[in-house]
Amino acid sequence: MFKRLIFILVCVSVHVSRAQVPTPKEHFGFAIGDDYHLANYTQTEAYFKKVAQAVPNLVKLQVIGKTEEGRDQIMMIVTSADNHKKLDRYKEISTKMARAEGLSEEQARAMAAEGKAIVWIDGGIHSTEMVATHQLIETLYQVTTRTDAETKRILDNVVILFTHINPDGQELVANWYMREKDPTKRKMETIPRLYHKYIGHDNNRDYFMLNMKESQNVGRQLFVEWIPQIMYNHHQRGPAGSVLAGPPYRDPFNYVFDPMMVTGIDALGAAMYNRLNAEKKPGFTRLNGSSFSTWYNGGLRTTTHFHNMIGLLTEIIGGPTPEEVPLVPSRLIPNNNTPNPVTPQKWHFKQSIDYSVSLNFAVLDYAARNSDHLLYNIYSMGKNSIERGSSDYWTPYPKRIEAINTAYQADQAKTRGARGGGVAAAAADPMGWGSRSAGMPLKFYESVMRDPLLRDPRGYIIPANQADFATATKFVNALIRTGIGVEKATTDFTIAGKKYPAGSFIVKTAQAFRPHIIDMFEPQNYPNDFQYPGGPPIRPYDAAGWTLAYQMGVTFDRMLEGFDGPFQRLPYGELQTIPAKVAAGSGGYVLSTKMNDAFLAVNDLQKAGVEVFRITQGSEMGNFYVPASAKAKATLDQVAQSAGLRVTGLSKKPTQAMEKVKPLRVALWDTYGGSMPSGWVRWLMEQYHFPCNVVYSKEIDAGNLKNKYDVIVFVTRAIPVYRGADNDPYAAFRTETKEEEIPSEFHPTMGRITANQSIAPLKAFLEAGGKVVTIGSSTNLAYHLGLPVRSALSELTATGEERELPSGKYYVPGSILRVSVDSSAKASWGLPGQADVYFDNSPVFHLSSEAVAKGHLTPLAWFPNNKPLRSGWAWGEAYLQDGVAAFEAKVGQGKLYAFGPEITFRAQSHGTFKWLFNQLY
């Protein structure tokens, strides 16, 4: 009787405690999912705090860092009261199992049984996707107030990390939407700026670089502090005619993955859509029903795949304004992609919230029922990675399979006159039903997949004596932020006959997150992916290749054998600095222009009133010279300490010719609603301390630009295409905002660059001595100005008309290509003779030979051969040979700089930043 009374009292206590949690309607004044109503972040943060105060036994509110606008970024840790008492232990188990270091099989099994599954559920990364933000609120409420058996099981067996990804964006978008008193007039399409201070939608492309504060906050929790077994990333929107797209995803998946990660996604996907089907919630599409794959690295969800986490993504329809599920007949037929189609109907916000909550509970219930399996499986994946990095291993890339086929075909041609055989038979019988015993001799497999030279590396050495070690250190810190183990040499050492200095970094692949290491150092090998043989290509999800070491211009050596040395293992998550001491220089100081941070130092010196010169001749050409002074020494000391800048002290002033560096008045184009590429460059200029004003089309159209600016920078998608008139093929997809619908304070930012109104003022600016820097598609300005250049990626039709190469012949989605560089040109000072560039179907040019001979046009970078691909996918890459990737052109007294590749791409491409920086003096 006494025990029963105690049980009843405990149950009543729990019920009363949970009853203290305010309902969302009590707090916000409306229920989550009510049409035409949104909560902003100020209200949401206040609600999170109320919940944490109401049930402190279940909820711990943690501020994981500040946002770019200075708000608190919150993570809510939710689990049972008993689990909270042991939270540190469960966190320790999670990280130890994920890293799989020094654990025996017995220890791993015991820890899997002892631990609790860690599940990450986030929302709000893309702030106009308000279902994703608001499902977080509703799920938190339901998990902390429901008393059913499922919720109890979840709280007992799972630690949930509810994380808000973009507080600043929610505040902006919700306030903008709710500003209209008439609910039917509320809309999000006309927001005046990006919903992230700098990068808008690209905040979901920052997760291997971790440039932004929010990304860094989230990355530390995901990759260093907790390392959850499951992460669920909520997004919008689903494909037309469906309700949502979710796991599993279409091919290709990245070849470096452990297969258990891929099948883990399958298992969670089954739990998710089975629950929806059981609850009579149709419209879930998967596999080829949507465009989402698991190839790309860099997204919030996708980067976790390279860390053996089961990363989940759903993209759902809906929003505060009711909408229609459109009639798409092909979506009405049940198939493996969409087993349970949805019918056309009116769709309300509450339906999307209900779907999202159901999906969250499906994931959490799976985790609760399989906690030990999830923990053991992430350990197994980590152990597999360590074994692969400790032995000879060959990743089965498409290029290697192609090499097997090529070797076999060559052998057949030699021995039987190319009469066909295994390859042709395999193509005719892809399922293998008619030739189950057929196949190639094993020697062809072994000639490739056992070739010692084709082994995956055991590790990488990043020498400390490379030209821009500060940038290399930034690369290392990107690895460290994503949980990679890094070692540092304590003394000089020699490996394979090569000597390396102390301070060099070592990254070995015998660690749990080996897939991420390989992905950051090695080229991506995207498969040839077409809709059908001979048909158009299927665009990759975001990018095909991105190898960060290539983008950043990092020098490293690949080690194919195991190696060791005087290496110190750095603590996980401990960022590296390379403080440098500036030696006294009675004759002044030299800063090598090969170092990106030299530009930061020059900007700080000029701000301090110190004169800076640039050497224009000889072996030091392009380097900065700073005359000796106390102020110069103090400024350089500060930059050297903070950025690791190497400064050479001189006993006497250089004798080479020099010119004084003058700060220029720099303008950066942007547009109403915000340009992500422009936001990235704005952030980049802030990091390197370049003063910069933002300029909009109305100011450009008004003219007199040279009175205000010396340089104008146009990122990609600023300048319209040239067709002899103001024809823009993307105009039909762009929503034009009417001034009368927008507050007057934003009117100066409205409008766009047009051929009719903008080109003449820009030409006048150039002729008066201004400089214009164009990147990507904005190199169209060269055509508008009538310069003697033409596209290198065109062909003549049967009627003699020129047209762009069709995608069946030539297609290069986001990839890394190699170009030759004229590093003696002032615009290219500091770059090497060859550079890796980020290329996304970017413009390529043929220049008039006569104009080049007269000095009117100067090639800066070009494709010297027919095999420029370094990482990604380049179909028809031979068309690029001899094409010009970048050039400068004289226009009156000024200069136009045209860079076809994305030289500042997402602030990742450090190796080509100098092409921008050099033009800003």
Side-chain angles (χ1 to χ4, degrees), residues 395-421:
T395 298
Y397 297 117
K399 64 183 178 182
R400 292 181 177 168
I401 307 309
E402 183 180 351
I404 294 173
N405 286 328
T406 300
Y408 178 72
Q409 290 170 335
D411 181 78
Q412 293 294 292
K414 181 188 298 184
T415 59
R416 296 196 311 220
R419 288 179 294 166

Side-chain angles (χ1 to χ4, degrees), residues 102-109 379:
L103 293 180
S104 66
E105 179 74 10
E106 293 74 20
Q107 289 173 320
R109 293 284 184 186
Y379 158 77

Side-chain angles (χ1 to χ4, degrees), residues 152-165:
K152 184 180 186 303
R153 180 168 60 247
I154 289 169
L155 291 173
D156 286 345
N157 293 285
V158 181
V159 176
I160 314 168
L161 308 177
F162 288 115
T163 310
H164 199 301
I165 306 300

Side-chain angles (χ1 to χ4, degrees), residues 510-533:
Q511 50 184 299
F513 303 154
R514 176 182 180 274
H516 190 71
I517 298 169
I518 296 292
D519 205 60
M520 293 294 98
F521 282 96
E522 298 291 313
Q524 285 75 49
N525 181 209
Y526 198 85
N528 292 327
D529 191 15
F530 295 92
Q531 293 182 25
Y532 50 86

Side-chain angles (χ1 to χ4, degrees), residues 48-263:
F48 286 170
K49 289 179 178 178
K50 283 184 180 180
V51 173
Q53 290 168 358
V55 282
N57 58 321
L58 299 181
V59 179
K60 176 183 177 182
L61 185 151
Q62 181 177 340
V63 176
I64 61 174
K66 292 290 186 180
T67 68
E68 289 290 351
E69 293 183 12
R71 292 181 176 85
D72 286 341
Q73 187 169 8
I74 287 175
M75 181 171 73
M76 305 287 280
I77 306 173
V78 180
T79 192
S80 70
D82 286 342
N83 289 347
H84 270 291
K85 295 174 185 176
K86 302 177 182 177
L87 198 62
D88 289 343
R89 174 57 179 164
Y90 295 138
K91 185 178 183 180
E92 178 188 26
I93 289 173
S94 182
T95 56
K96 281 188 173 181
M97 294 292 275
R99 291 176 182 141
E101 295 172 346
L103 293 180
S104 66
E105 179 74 10
E106 293 74 20
Q107 289 173 320
R109 293 284 184 186
M111 291 175 73
E114 178 190 356
K116 305 295 179 181
I118 312 297
V119 177
W120 172 286
I121 298 177
D122 64 53
I125 188 168
H126 292 156
S127 303
T128 53
E129 301 172 6
M130 277 295 182
V131 173
T133 305
H134 286 65
Q135 60 78 26
L136 208 58
I137 302 169
E138 182 66 21
T139 307
L140 175 67
Y141 171 69
Q142 293 202 25
V143 168
T144 55
T145 58
R146 283 168 49 167
T147 57
D148 55 276
E150 180 185 51
T151 304
K152 184 180 186 303
R153 180 168 60 247
I154 289 169
L155 291 173
D156 286 345
N157 293 285
V158 181
V159 176
I160 314 168
L161 308 177
F162 288 115
T163 310
H164 199 301
I165 306 300
N166 186 9
D168 300 342
Q170 184 187 359
E171 190 78 5
L172 170 70
V173 173
N175 287 345
W176 184 262
Y177 182 84
M178 295 296 290
R179 80 188 195 284
E180 292 283 359
K181 292 183 179 180
D182 182 351
T184 62
K185 292 183 179 180
R186 292 172 182 168
K187 57 183 178 179
M188 291 182 282
E189 290 80 6
T190 58
I191 295 171
R193 64 174 178 85
L194 296 170
Y195 52 65
H196 180 278
K197 181 178 179 180
Y198 296 104
I199 61 173
H201 190 276
D202 267 1
N203 63 351
N204 195 33
R205 302 294 185 272
D206 190 38
Y207 280 91
F208 62 65
M209 194 71 198
L210 299 174
N211 278 316
M212 297 296 121
K213 291 178 181 177
E214 297 89 348
S215 309
Q216 293 171 6
N217 300 337
V218 167
R220 183 161 188 88
Q221 300 305 315
L222 281 174
F223 306 127
V224 179
E225 294 290 332
W226 281 96
I227 318 180
Q229 295 81 56
I230 300 173
M231 78 82 62
Y232 183 5
N233 183 214
H234 283 263
H235 279 266
Q236 291 182 258
R237 89 172 8 254
S242 67
V243 175
L244 75 150
Y249 310 101
R250 73 174 182 90
D251 283 337
F253 62 76
N254 202 293
Y255 307 110
V256 299
F257 292 155
D258 190 288
M260 277 199 293
M261 193 285 295
V262 179
T263 55

Side-chain angles (χ1 to χ4, degrees), residues 758-771:
S758 312
I759 302 305
L762 289 172
K763 185 176 182 180
F765 171 74
L766 284 161
E767 290 175 338
K771 295 199 288 187

Side-chain angles (χ1 to χ4, degrees), residues 353-372:
I353 296 296
D354 288 346
Y355 268 64
S356 298
V357 172
S358 292
L359 292 164
N360 286 337
F361 270 86
V363 170
L364 293 171
D365 185 61
Y366 179 94
R369 294 175 184 271
N370 296 278
S371 177
D372 55 342

